[in-house]
Amino acid sequence: MTQGIWNNLSKPMLAAIVLIFVAVSGVRAELLIRVTEGADSAIPVAVVPFAESGQLPAGDKVGSIVQADLTMTGEFRTLPPEKMLSLPSRREEVYFRDWRLLGQRYVLVGGLTRSGDRVQARYELFDVNREERILGETAAAPASNMRSLAHHISDKVYEAITGVPGVFSTQLAFVTLDTANGKPRYRLQVSDVDGKRARIRLESQEPILSPAWSPDGKKLAYVSFETGKPVIFVHELVSGKRTKVADFPGLNSAPAWSGDGRSLLMTLSRDGNAEIYRMDLDTGQLTRLTNHWAIDTEANWDASGKGIFFTSDRSGGPQIYHMKTPGAEPRRITFGGRYNARPRADSSGEFVYYVHQRDSAFQIARTDLETGEETILTRTESDESPSVAPNGRMLIYATDQNGTSVLTVISSDGGAAYSLPGSEGEVRDPAWGPLVR
């Protein structure tokens, strides 16, 4: 990391923004799923291997991907195919008595047909106890894009059972670090939500930090040290075009998009102290949102899109504050412990998630915004960078497990978890992409 930047910052400022500029790290290939915990109340679902007609691409099967998607939420317990009494692909082949005997609440059946370079999926979801079909659709995709077809089916199944949109077709952004020719190699990568199909979007010998998705999923904002100081860029993913949007003296950090995609929240120290600003991306005009002797940083929009959560040490140590509207008097949200930072609100406006220090451990916690009740969600001790899924049912964060850097996804109540360890090196700074219809 470029030392000159740090020499210009006070020790309190460094402490307050440690989560922004923590050493990022990562993988060189795809992430790997490792299930670590499941919820006791998980719903039993049987995903029957799909029947196949025509020559289908080799590799992961659609049914296997759907099974893995549902399992990763912690809300479902899937039945291994080898324990199934039959492998139906249509309604008339489903014997509900057998599935009840196996303790299943739902069963998904279907078939795949290839025609030219397209694959069509026909699938049906049944409520076993009521012996009713609750979902029946067809969907198609290029034969080269079977994973997207599977994630689409997973989204539909999840919503049919829970009433909440699935997020399996969304994407993750994360930063990785390995070594090439004795030099650090930072990479900004984008993958499917299960860690597959990772693609490198930017590579640098200098740190890349704090990726943030635009609401349409077409751009990433992030901090890069490639010029020798922290600078905020906006990166168009399809074209690869990069625009430098904040290169002021001192600190330029922690970008966060507005709901309409027309502005960014950011932390700037252009006037000597770290404060929260809003930048209009069309005009470049800055609006200062905080003005305090303390360090204010890591701003993120609340669920209403009108107020912001941010980290401030105005009470003597990093704590989470909420500003209901720009310029309003901030209200302190967290009171448990001496360190709470990097707030991320859920889509319902019910909770705010953040990094909480307890003794020497850093863990992910949440506060109920109505009652003020704080809940510690994780059991690991080096947790950072929480990011909430767009449906509010899961969140992803970075941690260390037995000396290995991993991304871990947990249910929003902390009741289930799975990890995505890097196949090589380490991985940090995850950002969950938006739900784009």
Side-chain angles (χ1 to χ4, degrees), residues 350-426:
E350 193 173 353
F351 300 104
V352 61
Y353 298 85
Y354 48 90
V355 178
H356 168 80
Q357 183 181 8
R358 182 169 56 180
D359 298 325
S360 60
F362 290 88
Q363 298 172 308
I364 306 302
R366 76 178 186 186
T367 287
D368 185 308
L369 294 172
E370 182 176 350
T371 66
E373 180 183 4
E374 181 179 77
T375 305
I376 308 300
L377 301 177
T378 59
R379 298 168 180 83
T380 41
E381 297 185 349
S382 301
D383 307 336
E384 59 188 50
S385 306
S387 181
V388 185
N391 66 0
R393 301 293 281 261
M394 296 179 283
L395 62 149
I396 190 168
Y397 64 96
T399 190
D400 289 321
Q401 291 182 357
N402 301 319
T404 301
S405 172
V406 300
L407 300 183
T408 296
V409 174
I410 60 173
S411 55
S412 58
D413 61 0
Y418 76 92
S419 296
L420 301 112
S423 57
E424 293 183 27
E426 298 180 342

Side-chain angles (χ1 to χ4, degrees), residues 97-335:
R97 179 187 60 188
D98 291 347
W99 298 104
R100 282 195 293 269
L101 181 66
L102 293 170
Q104 301 305 295
R105 287 271 304 279
Y106 299 94
V107 59
L108 175 70
V109 303
L112 302 169
T113 303
R114 179 162 184 171
S115 177
D117 63 353
R118 303 279 293 178
V119 173
Q120 179 171 283
R122 166 193 50 78
Y123 58 97
E124 299 173 280
L125 178 68
F126 297 95
D127 183 309
V128 173
N129 292 330
R130 293 188 298 171
E131 299 189 6
E132 292 181 356
R133 189 178 83 162
I134 60 174
L135 175 66
E137 292 186 349
T138 60
S144 59
N145 201 11
M146 297 288 284
R147 294 196 66 85
S148 294
L149 178 60
H151 291 320
H152 169 80
I153 296 171
S154 300
D155 287 336
K156 293 296 186 179
V157 171
Y158 184 89
E159 186 167 7
I161 296 175
T162 69
V164 176
V167 293
F168 308 107
S169 297
T170 60
Q171 293 184 298
L172 299 178
F174 49 91
V175 180
T176 69
L177 172 65
D178 61 12
T179 301
N181 300 319
K183 296 181 180 180
R185 178 169 55 183
Y186 295 87
R187 289 171 164 179
L188 175 65
Q189 302 198 45
V190 172
S191 77
D192 287 5
V193 74
D194 58 4
K196 301 296 184 179
R197 298 193 294 191
R199 296 183 60 189
I200 298 168
R201 299 297 184 169
L202 179 67
E203 185 173 314
S204 176
Q205 291 184 4
E206 298 295 334
I208 304 167
L209 309 167
S210 304
W213 288 92
S214 63
D216 61 5
K218 296 180 179 180
K219 301 176 184 178
L220 283 171
Y222 52 83
V223 178
S224 173
F225 278 74
E226 64 196 70
T227 64
K229 57 171 290 188
V231 175
I232 297 175
F233 287 84
V234 168
H235 190 133
E236 297 179 11
L237 295 178
V238 173
S239 68
K241 179 182 177 182
R242 302 171 67 223
T243 303
K244 187 185 299 184
V245 297
D247 186 13
F248 300 101
L251 191 65
N252 303 273
S253 70
W257 293 84
S258 60
D260 61 9
R262 300 179 63 181
S263 64
L264 282 176
L265 295 175
M266 58 186 66
T267 299
L268 305 176
S269 62
R270 55 185 304 213
D271 297 321
N273 193 52
E275 302 284 359
I276 308 299
Y277 290 80
R278 180 176 183 173
M279 174 182 283
D280 184 305
L281 292 174
D282 291 330
T283 65
Q285 180 179 353
L286 287 172
T287 302
R288 185 167 174 169
L289 302 183
T290 63
N291 190 357
H292 198 275
W293 56 263
I295 296 165
D296 298 329
T297 185
E298 300 176 325
N300 209 265
W301 294 100
D302 64 16
S304 73
K306 299 177 181 179
I308 63 171
F309 292 99
F310 63 97
T311 305
S312 177
D313 68 349
R314 59 184 65 195
S315 60
Q319 297 292 340
I320 307 302
Y321 287 78
H322 181 240
M323 182 182 289
K324 192 171 183 179
T325 57
E329 183 66 22
R331 177 173 68 93
R332 183 173 169 177
I333 300 297
T334 54
F335 293 89

Side-chain angles (χ1 to χ4, degrees), residues 5 52 61 65 72 206 215 258-259 364:
I5 297 300
E52 298 182 356
K61 300 296 185 180
I65 296 170
M72 75 170 63
E206 298 295 334
S258 60
I364 306 302

